[in-house]
Amino acid sequence: MYGNTTEGEPVDKTVDRGPWAGCAVMFLQSLCPSVNLLSLYKDQQEGKFIVFKVIKLTLTDSAGGLGGYEILKVHDADPLLGVEVKFVDVAACQQFLKSYSSGALHQSLSQHACRLFALPQELTVETQLKASTHILDRCLNDLDLCLQQIHQSQPERLRDEEIDFLEQLLQSKALCPAPQLTTSMQEESAVPNNCFRFQNRVFEDRMLSTADVQSFSNGVGRQWKNVGRALGKSCRALKGPAIDNLAYEYEREGLYEQAYQLLNRFTQAEGSAAKLSRLVKALEDCKLTNLAENILDIQPQE
C-alpha cells in the first residue's frame, strides 16, 4: 500500500475512488557529441519523426504497453529536450517509475536510438524527471512519493497538435500485416518505398544496426560464407576472392568474428544502402529464414 500524504490521507484511497491522472516531464540530453536530440527534433524532416519514435517506443517499453499514458508535448528546454507525459493509469505510472529508477528505461532509450539512428554503439542519454517543481530523481528510493507527486501534478494542457500529427505518422508507418490483395503484383505495389515484405508482413527498411550484426554473427555459424556470396551478387566489395580472403584473415578468431567482419565489410562498402532488406533477402536465398525471423524479432507461432 502507498504511504500517507502530508495531510494524512492515504494515497491509495485517492487512487481507488475515481479516475487517476498525473503529469511528469522527462528531460533528455545526449552525451554523444554527434547526436543532439534537441537539434534533431527541430529538424522538420526525418529527424523530428525519428526522435519521436525513439521516445514513443521507450515509453511503451517502460510503461508496459501503449495504454495508460499519452505524450502531451515535446518542447525545447535548451540544451535539453523536454517530454511532457500524462498518465491516466496508476499501474502504468508505477511501471514507468520502476523502469526509470532501475535503469531499464535508459537502456531501452539507448537501444532504440542506436537502432533508429544507425549508430555504431549505444547512445548514452542523461535524463531528469520532474513533476511540477519536484525533481523526482532525488527521491527515486521512495517510488510511492514519486507517484504521489506525479498525481498531484495535474496536466494543464491538451495534447499538442504536432504530437497528434506525429502519432498519426507513426501509426501509418508502423509494422502491420500486409493487406489482403488478389495478385502478387498488387501485393508488391502495396509496399511503401521505405519498407519490405517478409513472410506476408511489411517491415520498415533501415540501415543495419549493431544489434542486427550481432544477431547475425551469433546465429549464422558456418553458413556465413554462403550469405556473403548472396550479398556479393549486389555488392562489389564481396565479389571474387573477398569471401575467402575474409575467411583466411579471421580464421583464428572463429566463426563469430568472420561473420561480423563480413557485415562490417558490407556496411563500409555500401554505406546508407546497407539495408536490412538486403540481409533478409540473402538469408532467404540461403534457406536461413529462422535467423531472419530472429533478427526481425518475429515471435514463433504457438
Side-chain angles (χ1 to χ4, degrees), residues 82-132:
V83 184
E84 187 173 345
V85 183
K86 174 185 176 182
F87 292 96
V88 293
D89 179 78
V90 65
C93 190
Q94 286 175 316
Q95 182 61 46
F96 167 82
L97 286 170
K98 289 178 182 177
S99 297
Y100 186 90
S101 64
S102 69
L105 181 145
H106 295 75
Q107 183 178 3
S108 177
L109 180 63
S110 177
Q111 290 175 346
H112 288 305
C114 176
R115 179 173 63 85
L116 293 174
F117 286 114
L119 301 175
Q121 59 186 14
E122 289 190 0
L123 178 69
T124 302
V125 179
E126 194 172 67
T127 66
Q128 185 182 75
L129 188 63
K130 295 183 70 176
S132 186

Side-chain angles (χ1 to χ4, degrees), residues 41-291:
Y41 191 77
K42 289 180 178 179
D43 176 7
Q44 295 300 316
Q45 301 300 319
E46 191 70 13
K48 181 184 290 291
F49 174 73
I50 294 179
V51 172
F52 180 78
K53 186 173 182 179
V54 169
I55 294 169
K56 182 72 174 182
L57 291 173
T58 300
L59 287 172
T60 300
D61 290 346
S62 60
L66 290 169
Y69 77 93
E70 65 173 319
I71 300 171
L72 296 181
K73 184 177 179 64
V74 178
H75 57 86
D76 182 347
D78 193 13
L80 309 175
L81 184 68
V83 184
E84 187 173 345
V85 183
K86 174 185 176 182
F87 292 96
V88 293
D89 179 78
V90 65
C93 190
Q94 286 175 316
Q95 182 61 46
F96 167 82
L97 286 170
K98 289 178 182 177
S99 297
Y100 186 90
S101 64
S102 69
L105 181 145
H106 295 75
Q107 183 178 3
S108 177
L109 180 63
S110 177
Q111 290 175 346
H112 288 305
C114 176
R115 179 173 63 85
L116 293 174
F117 286 114
L119 301 175
Q121 59 186 14
E122 289 190 0
L123 178 69
T124 302
V125 179
E126 194 172 67
T127 66
Q128 185 182 75
L129 188 63
K130 295 183 70 176
S132 186
T133 59
H134 300 287
I135 299 176
L136 302 184
D137 302 78
R138 296 174 178 172
C139 55
L140 288 176
N141 60 333
D142 188 346
L143 295 186
D144 289 338
L145 177 59
C146 292
L147 188 70
Q148 174 188 328
Q149 291 175 340
I150 289 175
H151 180 47
Q152 290 175 347
S153 175
Q154 291 297 306
E156 298 178 353
R157 70 173 86 234
L158 297 175
R159 188 162 71 175
D160 195 87
E161 290 183 359
E162 180 177 67
I163 302 300
D164 282 330
F165 172 77
L166 290 169
E167 289 277 9
Q168 292 171 6
L169 185 61
L170 183 59
Q171 289 178 13
S172 70
K173 291 189 175 186
L175 307 185
C176 58
Q180 298 297 316
L181 300 171
T182 55
T183 68
S184 59
M185 184 176 297
Q186 286 175 315
E187 289 178 355
E188 290 301 322
S189 64
V191 180
N193 291 333
N194 63 336
C195 298
F196 68 97
R197 188 187 303 280
F198 176 74
Q199 293 185 346
N200 292 323
R201 293 177 62 182
V202 176
F203 293 87
E204 178 187 0
D205 206 0
R206 54 174 172 76
M207 290 179 61
L208 292 174
S209 69
T210 302
D212 298 329
V213 176
Q214 290 174 344
S215 294
F216 171 80
S217 304
N218 276 318
V220 71
R222 297 185 181 278
Q223 294 294 315
W224 72 269
K225 284 187 177 182
N226 293 332
V227 177
R229 294 188 180 97
L231 288 171
K233 294 176 182 178
S234 60
C235 176
R236 181 172 297 181
L238 297 179
K239 292 183 182 297
I243 304 298
D244 290 333
N245 289 344
L246 280 173
Y248 177 77
E249 186 176 354
Y250 295 98
E251 181 178 10
R252 290 186 177 181
E253 283 81 358
L255 294 174
Y256 176 93
E257 188 64 23
Q258 289 172 324
Y260 185 92
Q261 293 299 331
L262 169 71
L263 289 193
N264 187 45
R265 181 74 58 87
F266 175 64
T267 54
Q268 287 181 344
E270 297 296 300
S272 61
K275 294 294 186 69
L276 179 61
S277 58
R278 294 176 68 181
L279 176 59
V280 170
K281 176 64 166 58
L283 292 171
E284 283 188 288
D285 291 346
C286 297
K287 305 289 191 290
L288 296 173
T289 54
N290 287 342
L291 181 54

